[in-house]
Amino acid sequence: MADIFFNNLFLVIAALIMAIYLFLGIISMFQLIEYKRANRYTDFSTLLSSPLAPGVTVIAPAYNESKTIVNNIKALFTLQYNNYEIIVVNDGSTDDTLDKIIKEFDLIETEYIAYAALPTQPVNGIYKSRNQAYSFLTVVDKQNGGKADALNAGINVSHFPYFVAIDVDCIVVPDALQKLVKPFLSHTDNKTIATGGVIRIANSCKIDNGQVLQVNVPDEYIVRFQVVEYLRAFLMGRMAWSKLNGLLIISGALGMFDKDIVVQCGGYNVNTVGEDMELVVRMRRFLYDQKIKHRVEYIPDPLCWTEVPTTQDALQRQRNRWTRGNIDTLKIHRKLLFNPKYGRLGMLGYPFWFFFEWLAPLFEAGGYVFMLFLLMTSIINWPIFLFLLLFVYLFSVSFSFYAVLFDEFTFHRYHRFAHLRKLFIIPFIEPIVYHPLNVYWAIRGNISFLKGNRKWDKLERKGFSNASPQ
Amino acid sequence: MKILICESNPLLVQLMGKELMSEQNEVRLAWVSEEMASQLTSFAPDILITEVLLPHMNGFEFIHNARLQFPKMTIVVISSLSSNRLIELIFRLGADEFISKPLDPTQLNNHIQKAIRGKRNSFISNAIDYVTKI
Amino acid sequence: MLRKYKAVAVFLAAMILLIAFSFIVKSWLMQENWFLKSSSAFNWLHDLGRYLMATIEENQKQSTLLIWLFPVLFTALILTVVNIVTIALFILLRRWGSINLWRRKNKMRQKAQESIVEYLYGDSESALQQIKQLNKQMLVEEIISLRKQITGPKTEHLQLLFYQLGLDVFVTHKIKSARWFNKLLYIDAAQWMQVYAAFEQIQPYQYAENPHLRNVAQMACVNLDTGQAFAFLNIMDQSLPIWHQILLHKTMVRGSLPLPDFYSFLHSENASVIIFALNMIRLFSQKGPQNEIIRLVTHHDPMVRRNALRVVRDLDIYEAIPVVKQNFLGETLRVQVGMIQALSLDKPQETFEFYRNIWQDTPRRLQAEILKHVSPGLQAMLLKDMEPEQIEQK
């Protein structure tokens, strides 16, 4: 009797999950079409010459990056925007990161008032360049406190109403600021509080001087899985949630925020590894409490290219951290679940995240165990079992194919036949190899969360890379 | 005189090409970013006319590299930029003349003559400086 | 209504289709022999379906759910496989085809570009004959993209070409019939090429539901309407976001258009229109009754107040300073920052006195903002005056 109940339960849930994914896919499609059409003749460079364009602060935290820091900062200089400042926050690096910046840009320590709106670890000094050419560069040297703390320190010294949080090792395309700031300027009745850009994978791409010159699909399977995964997450998942206004996360790799609201909410949370997600949820909760209409948007243009882990070990640590960050945020804001007071966030966004990002892997693992139990007690009906398995498998394959199709129609970044050949294999292998691994890592993440691990992993502290899809 | 014109709008490039075409000038055009870099090295022009807001390419880097590669070349930047900060940056990176878009193609020749004169003058004054130092 | 929920509509349609299909598939599976016996290609599928259905019915006597669901699942399975194959083929074909199509299009574009340059610099007559055979939308795109980049005598030449090709008539016609995203192009073209005949067509779009269309139409009307260019500001009840303001401002600057008296819009009901008027007054330094501006410093919308404060600062309206000081403490933070900037008009000593008096009542965050935005001299004075424990390290 019990097995029939479980059978039915699994069936219903599986069908529901597929229907929801299908629905999200359809919304994404319409959203992408709309975006392409509306911006076909838009001249974003108008922002470069207009006195009405708002100022933007770029905040880039750096920790032990002495090898690449100078080039990374120089790449930021070429962002095409008129009225912006760059704040590099040296988060207590133990190597010569700060010395290198000081030497290269001819910095001197300046007087400042330690009168900060957000509490942070103590600041050792604030540096500005003697060279007028670098007048828009500020370097903050502070004691180590993690990425969230570094960003808060950057917010404290910033001057402009909007800020962009970026990973200093990401490659940001030159017109990213123009594209990110536009949603803030396009709505008046519905205040935009944060925008994010799509993250693409830079492994194997030809990169020169901080610009992606040629896009390639990597050869390593582990990276290729992630390429398809990111396509799916950003072009299908995030786009739909942007349209539904139910977004809970802006990737830490690139996101623009309304500084006022961030400061009013108390800035980044230093006690979680998922600070990017936590901030967005807290901002939205704050605005819902005040009954202010607002939106969080995603720009489907590929604005940021990042290197992703190439070894299983590194990837596992990354996923482990994301899982912990997710649970942490969900736990902190558990009041939101199905709370009609929080509108779309409480009724759609949060529950989706709760069930699909946190519970789904656990549920899936439960399914595997149940399956194993059935196999052992040999009451399984093989033909039916195989049929259902095939069905689920093919559904996920087709979903990945749709993601590739969306990229093909919109931004067309993988434009060679060789790219296609490489990409087309992935959806077929992914559900068998990569997906179970992901489930396994998510469970490991849950376990380490229960064990009380709330910190960044020492080993991967270096990269900061936090471009989580979904 | 060898002139290279780089600009992402193919129609505008051709227009400027026609404008500058004459017996003593050899003009080449490039409107695809890969071509710009390769043309620059292979053609080694005396005058480079370029936009800095280029798709898939960093125009600031481009003029900077051009200046490093060819110290004597005259670099004229045409751009729809109007931010003083960025225009300053362009000059610091080695441009000799800045023309803001929209531009009058019939005036292009004058601008270039001015840039060349300016360049020569600064060259002469540098030489005088050098001599007086000795 | 339907447009807003089109995703839901498509989803529901897909579900209904799926269920309808599953009924067909079910009746197909129920049949022992397929009625189209001759084509045996799908016989294995038929047999498989029947076999599965039989096992399910046999095995799951207690539960009817799977029996009910099976036809749907089976249909979905078939559709998914078809889907994957079609998408793969479609991408490949499109890419293959698009290479050819792209080449052809590119060739046409090149031809158009060459002919246009030829027209401007060489034999106009023969070039004109060549251009006439080309696709008109592409020509409009090319001509407009060039027109946006140049000034001087060549623009008149280009405009002549536009009219000689009869593109003005084409554009006017297309504004009526094209889809909304193409309308953007044609309205823009009418604006750049001064097609006054299109004005009648464009005018209603100034109040369009679609913000992109509305914006383009407003810019066009500002350019084309010689009499009452900014009349739409009085009528419009939709909002005018900053992005649209930026574009309108650019249009005015570019065309050196005669400016209306922006003070007349300061009484508008629409807050975004007031903000626009304030911005334009500031950017063009338009002179007018100052008490109008001072009145807006206490407007009920914080955005309006902030923009009014900017005008106060940039146009040196000293008379507003008492009002600013009076309202300082009760304000929202963002407006207060604007107030701090506006107060820089005042004499440093008086500002200092003012800040010192309110210092105890100000929250920490506001104190930080004051220190960040005042002049260095005043900053030093304030810091010296502060009690030591209020300053953290350094």
Side-chain angles (χ1 to χ4, degrees):
Chain A
M1 213 40 210
D3 62 308
I4 291 165
F5 171 74
F6 275 114
N7 257 334
N8 288 348
L9 184 73
F10 272 98
L11 255 178
V12 170
I13 291 177
L16 209 66
I17 289 176
M18 285 177 196
I20 289 173
Y21 272 119
L22 187 69
F23 184 50
L24 289 178
I26 293 171
I27 297 177
S28 293
M29 184 182 75
F30 282 120
Q31 180 71 355
L32 282 172
I33 293 172
E34 168 95 14
Y35 181 84
K36 284 305 266 189
R37 284 178 174 172
N39 289 306
R40 192 158 149 210
Y41 301 111
T42 304
D43 184 8
F44 283 93
S45 66
T46 317
L47 277 171
L48 295 177
S49 56
S50 181
L52 284 171
V56 174
T57 305
V58 178
I59 304 176
Y63 177 75
N64 286 357
E65 319 227 10
S66 83
K67 269 187 207 145
T68 51
I69 188 73
V70 169
N71 274 333
N72 287 339
I73 294 176
K74 277 189 177 162
L76 291 182
F77 287 170
T78 56
L79 284 173
Q80 291 167 4
Y81 199 74
N82 189 5
N83 194 9
Y84 79 115
E85 61 176 347
I86 296 169
I87 296 177
V88 179
V89 185
N90 176 34
D91 188 24
S93 298
T94 48
D95 61 359
D96 59 344
T97 304
L98 183 66
D99 300 332
K100 280 213 168 148
I101 311 176
I102 289 177
K103 210 172 133 204
E104 176 70 28
F105 300 109
D106 193 16
L107 301 179
I108 45 163
E109 201 168 344
T110 53
E111 288 226 0
Y112 72 101
I113 318 134
Y115 213 82
L118 297 171
T120 61
Q121 293 292 320
V123 172
N124 300 332
I126 290 183
Y127 297 83
K128 283 238 165 215
S129 179
R130 257 189 291 242
N131 187 341
Q132 270 299 303
Y134 302 128
S135 61
F136 50 94
L137 174 70
T138 308
V139 177
V140 179
D141 180 35
K142 65 181 275 290
Q143 283 167 27
N144 187 292
K147 186 182 175 183
D149 199 55
L151 287 167
N152 282 340
I155 294 171
N156 280 340
V157 274
S158 72
H159 284 96
F160 293 127
Y162 300 108
F163 76 89
V164 178
I166 66 163
D167 278 352
V168 79
D169 53 357
C170 281
I171 295 158
V172 182
V173 302
D175 56 355
L177 294 189
Q178 302 159 31
K179 294 226 163 114
L180 282 174
V181 84
K182 200 193 149 200
F184 287 96
L185 310 178
S186 308
H187 304 278
T188 49
D189 38 358
N190 230 345
K191 194 177 167 67
T192 306
I193 56 165
T195 52
V198 165
I199 317 288
R200 294 294 185 96
I201 290 174
N203 300 48
S204 302
C205 294
K206 207 172 128 196
I207 293 160
D208 187 32
N209 281 317
Q211 301 293 314
V212 176
L213 294 182
Q214 195 184 58
V215 177
N216 274 323
V217 177
D219 283 323
E220 304 100 330
Y221 271 89
I222 193 162
V223 186
R224 261 198 255 174
F225 286 137
Q226 292 178 72
V227 169
V228 175
E229 187 189 16
Y230 275 54
L231 277 183
R232 218 171 40 213
F234 281 107
L235 289 184
M236 305 195 75
R238 296 267 173 101
M239 279 321 289
W241 284 111
S242 168
K243 172 78 186 171
L244 290 173
N245 198 15
L247 271 174
L248 265 74
I249 186 168
I250 295 285
S251 291
L254 178 74
M256 189 180 277
F257 298 87
D258 189 311
K259 190 177 91 183
D260 255 18
I261 295 169
V262 172
V263 173
Q264 279 176 48
C265 298
Y268 282 92
N269 184 343
V270 291
N271 294 319
T272 176
V273 287
E275 78 288 327
D276 46 358
M277 178 175 171
E278 207 278 332
L279 177 70
V280 177
V281 177
R282 189 146 37 87
M283 282 166 81
R284 300 198 63 168
R285 196 175 165 182
F286 173 79
L287 290 174
Y288 270 118
D289 281 336
Q290 303 209 337
K291 299 203 167 56
I292 297 174
K293 271 191 175 178
H294 62 274
R295 51 186 303 114
V296 177
E297 261 188 51
Y298 247 93
I299 316 288
D301 283 292
L303 295 183
C304 176
W305 296 76
T306 186
E307 297 263 342
V308 295
T310 50
T311 61
Q312 242 191 60
D313 197 39
L315 188 63
Q316 182 212 316
R317 274 201 303 271
Q318 186 195 38
R319 295 301 147 113
N320 190 310
R321 194 185 71 234
W322 289 357
T323 311
R324 278 183 284 132
N326 271 349
I327 306 172
D328 225 10
T329 312
L330 291 176
K331 201 180 141 203
I332 294 170
H333 298 285
R334 56 187 173 276
K335 253 180 97 179
L336 297 183
L337 186 64
F338 291 126
N339 191 341
K341 194 182 147 199
Y342 295 104
R344 297 250 177 104
L345 180 69
M347 300 306 282
L348 291 176
Y350 186 96
F352 179 84
W353 216 267
F354 184 82
F355 289 114
F356 284 69
E357 296 298 319
W358 180 51
L359 279 185
L362 300 181
F363 178 78
E364 223 182 306
Y368 292 141
V369 172
F370 180 62
M371 227 163 65
L372 220 65
F373 165 75
L374 286 182
L375 279 174
M376 296 218 300
T377 52
S378 74
I379 50 168
I380 194 161
N381 186 306
W382 278 102
I384 302 173
F385 173 68
L386 284 180
F387 166 71
L388 291 178
L389 210 61
L390 184 72
F391 180 66
V392 174
Y393 169 74
L394 283 176
F395 184 81
S396 62
V397 172
S398 76
F399 208 66
S400 300
F401 263 95
Y402 271 111
V404 178
L405 181 74
F406 282 8
D407 177 61
E408 173 76 19
F409 261 102
T410 49
F411 305 106
H412 201 61
R413 282 297 185 269
Y414 299 110
H415 58 276
R416 301 189 174 190
F417 269 108
H419 295 159
L420 276 191
R421 204 189 63 230
K422 284 179 178 173
L423 278 182
F424 273 8
I425 317 167
I426 297 303
F428 291 105
I429 321 172
E430 197 206 347
I432 311 171
V433 184
Y434 185 67
H435 186 69
L437 272 176
N438 247 332
V439 170
Y440 171 63
W441 292 328
I443 287 170
R444 292 266 309 256
N446 273 284
I447 292 168
S448 53
F449 180 82
L450 287 177
K451 278 186 186 162
N453 182 356
R454 306 283 155 86
K455 290 275 165 272
W456 285 70
D457 220 312
K458 276 240 165 53
L459 273 164
E460 34 139 30
R461 212 18 251 287
K462 203 209 132 284
F464 267 150
S465 129
N466 195 23
S468 74
Q470 288 234 332
Chain B
M1 200 87 79
K2 293 198 285 185
I3 306 177
L4 176 65
I5 311 179
C6 303
E7 150 70 51
S8 53
N9 184 336
L11 202 46
L12 185 61
V13 169
Q14 291 174 41
L15 204 73
M16 290 195 284
K18 281 271 184 212
E19 203 57 70
L20 295 177
M21 205 85 82
S22 65
E23 270 171 27
Q24 65 268 31
N25 287 349
E26 187 192 352
V27 182
R28 288 213 195 161
L29 313 173
W31 58 85
V32 184
S33 38
E34 291 100 58
E35 210 168 297
M36 294 180 191
S38 65
Q39 282 271 20
L40 180 67
T41 19
S42 63
F43 182 49
D46 302 306
I47 302 173
L48 171 69
I49 302 174
T50 181
E51 162 69 286
V52 283
L53 302 179
L54 298 162
H56 311 303
M57 189 174 180
N58 188 339
F60 297 96
E61 200 83 48
F62 181 60
I63 48 175
H64 182 63
N65 288 342
R67 174 51 77 220
L68 289 182
Q69 244 177 325
F70 306 102
K72 281 188 188 163
M73 183 165 67
T74 309
I75 300 178
V76 179
V77 173
I78 35 161
S79 178
S80 46
L81 272 182
S82 69
S83 139
N84 287 334
R85 188 177 71 71
L86 291 178
I87 292 170
E88 244 171 61
L89 180 70
I90 288 166
F91 278 109
R92 215 172 38 246
L93 290 173
D96 298 299
E97 174 79 3
F98 177 83
I99 310 172
S100 68
K101 271 186 194 170
L103 81 158
D104 185 351
T106 47
Q107 295 295 318
L108 197 59
N109 247 322
N110 297 344
H111 279 290
I112 287 168
Q113 293 310 323
K114 195 180 134 205
I116 294 171
R117 267 203 309 278
K119 182 113 185 134
R120 196 176 295 143
N121 287 344
S122 74
F123 181 72
I124 291 169
S125 64
N126 280 348
I128 293 170
D129 274 359
Y130 183 69
V131 171
T132 46
K133 250 183 212 158
I134 293 172
Chain C
M1 194 63 186
L2 191 68
R3 181 164 283 183
K4 206 171 170 188
Y5 293 103
K6 58 185 164 189
V8 181
V10 169
F11 176 72
L12 287 180
M15 285 293 131
I16 291 167
L17 269 180
L18 177 68
I19 289 166
F21 255 119
S22 72
F23 274 112
I24 298 172
V25 169
K26 195 180 174 187
S27 65
W28 172 55
L29 290 178
M30 295 294 252
Q31 235 120 39
E32 193 127 344
N33 286 312
W34 196 8
F35 43 91
L36 284 170
K37 256 198 161 172
S38 51
S39 65
S40 56
F42 291 106
N43 267 354
W44 63 271
L45 193 68
H46 188 235
D47 291 345
L48 181 73
R50 279 186 70 81
Y51 168 67
L52 282 170
M53 200 157 71
T55 22
I56 287 171
E57 274 171 9
E58 208 173 279
N59 255 277
Q60 310 251 331
K61 288 221 169 66
Q62 305 96 320
S63 122
T64 44
L65 183 69
L66 194 60
I67 300 175
W68 273 100
L69 220 54
F70 175 74
V72 180
L73 292 183
F74 194 69
T75 318
L77 183 81
I78 298 170
L79 288 180
T80 323
V81 175
V82 174
N83 227 330
I84 294 172
V85 176
T86 2
I87 292 175
L89 275 179
F90 190 75
I91 293 178
L92 285 173
L93 277 178
R94 188 185 124 93
R95 201 159 280 204
W96 191 48
S98 76
I99 288 173
N100 285 326
L101 194 74
W102 184 78
R103 272 199 198 127
R104 223 178 319 143
K105 263 193 177 166
N106 229 15
K107 230 180 197 165
M108 293 295 276
R109 245 174 226 284
Q110 258 171 23
K111 206 171 151 196
Q113 286 159 1
E114 274 161 22
S115 313
I116 292 171
V117 174
E118 177 69 24
Y119 177 87
L120 293 176
Y121 282 92
D123 182 3
S124 303
E125 270 314 301
S126 67
L128 192 65
Q129 291 312 315
Q130 273 197 353
I131 300 173
K132 270 187 178 155
Q133 296 153 8
L134 297 167
N135 178 305
K136 284 189 172 166
Q137 178 173 353
M138 188 183 71
L139 281 174
V140 173
E141 278 173 19
E142 288 298 324
I143 292 176
I144 295 303
S145 83
L146 179 63
R147 174 63 186 83
K148 285 182 178 175
Q149 309 261 353
I150 60 171
T151 56
K154 285 293 169 203
T155 56
E156 279 152 36
H157 217 139
L158 204 60
Q159 204 156 331
L160 187 68
L161 170 68
F162 190 83
Y163 281 95
Q164 274 182 340
L165 288 170
L167 289 178
D168 54 331
V169 181
F170 173 72
V171 160
T172 317
H173 171 70
K174 276 290 182 180
I175 288 173
K176 231 186 327 182
S177 64
R179 303 184 62 183
W180 72 265
F181 45 92
N182 280 329
K183 278 182 181 154
L184 300 181
L185 169 71
Y186 295 119
I187 294 178
D188 205 32
Q191 183 211 153
W192 281 96
M193 288 300 161
Q194 321 252 306
V195 185
Y196 290 102
F199 179 65
E200 294 276 293
Q201 308 279 359
I202 298 170
Q203 217 178 9
Y205 292 117
Q206 290 182 96
Y207 315 107
E209 190 78 11
N210 184 322
H212 310 284
L213 199 55
R214 190 166 72 220
N215 182 223
V216 160
Q218 284 165 358
M219 286 197 290
C221 288
V222 165
N223 234 338
L224 294 178
D225 192 342
T226 39
Q228 283 252 298
F230 284 89
F232 69 89
L233 287 175
N234 288 324
I235 305 166
M236 191 175 69
D237 50 5
Q238 295 106 332
S239 68
L240 189 69
I242 305 282
W243 175 253
H244 294 187
Q245 299 188 12
I246 287 172
L247 292 174
L248 280 171
H249 174 243
K250 198 185 174 190
T251 313
M252 279 184 269
V253 173
R254 193 190 61 224
S256 325
L257 300 175
L259 299 176
D261 176 23
F262 282 111
Y263 283 87
S264 65
F265 300 112
L266 291 180
H267 281 281
S268 173
E269 299 269 297
N270 190 337
S272 60
V273 170
I274 304 183
I275 293 169
F276 177 64
L278 284 170
N279 276 328
M280 293 307 113
I281 287 170
R282 183 165 63 89
L283 292 176
F284 294 113
S285 303
Q286 215 173 34
K287 292 277 176 281
Q290 292 191 337
N291 53 356
E292 286 288 318
I293 309 284
I294 297 169
R295 182 179 60 86
L296 291 174
V297 173
T298 54
H299 191 265
H300 62 83
D301 188 322
M303 283 292 283
V304 173
R305 293 202 292 273
R306 240 176 64 211
N307 284 288
L309 285 165
R310 281 194 185 163
V311 181
V312 166
R313 189 190 54 186
D314 286 8
L315 296 191
D316 301 338
I317 304 177
Y318 297 101
E319 289 80 0
I321 284 172
V323 186
V324 172
K325 282 181 177 171
Q326 201 183 339
N327 290 295
F328 187 79
L329 280 180
E331 267 302 348
T332 62
L333 193 99
R334 219 168 185 168
V335 182
Q336 277 170 332
V337 171
M339 287 182 154
I340 295 164
Q341 283 162 349
L343 283 176
S344 62
L345 281 179
D346 205 4
K347 293 185 198 87
Q349 190 56 40
E350 275 172 31
T351 330
F352 172 65
E353 291 291 325
F354 172 69
Y355 285 136
R356 201 167 64 171
N357 286 335
I358 59 158
W359 199 257
Q360 296 305 329
D361 306 324
T362 28
R364 189 175 171 70
R365 166 130 167 69
L366 180 59
Q367 291 174 350
E369 291 295 340
I370 292 176
L371 288 173
K372 206 187 271 177
H373 286 99
V374 295
S375 63
L378 199 57
Q379 196 182 63
M381 278 161 78
L382 280 170
L383 279 176
K384 215 161 76 184
D385 193 59
M386 257 189 294
E387 282 143 50
E389 71 263 25
Q390 273 181 314
I391 315 173
E392 262 181 327
Q393 357 80 33
K394 192 145 190 193

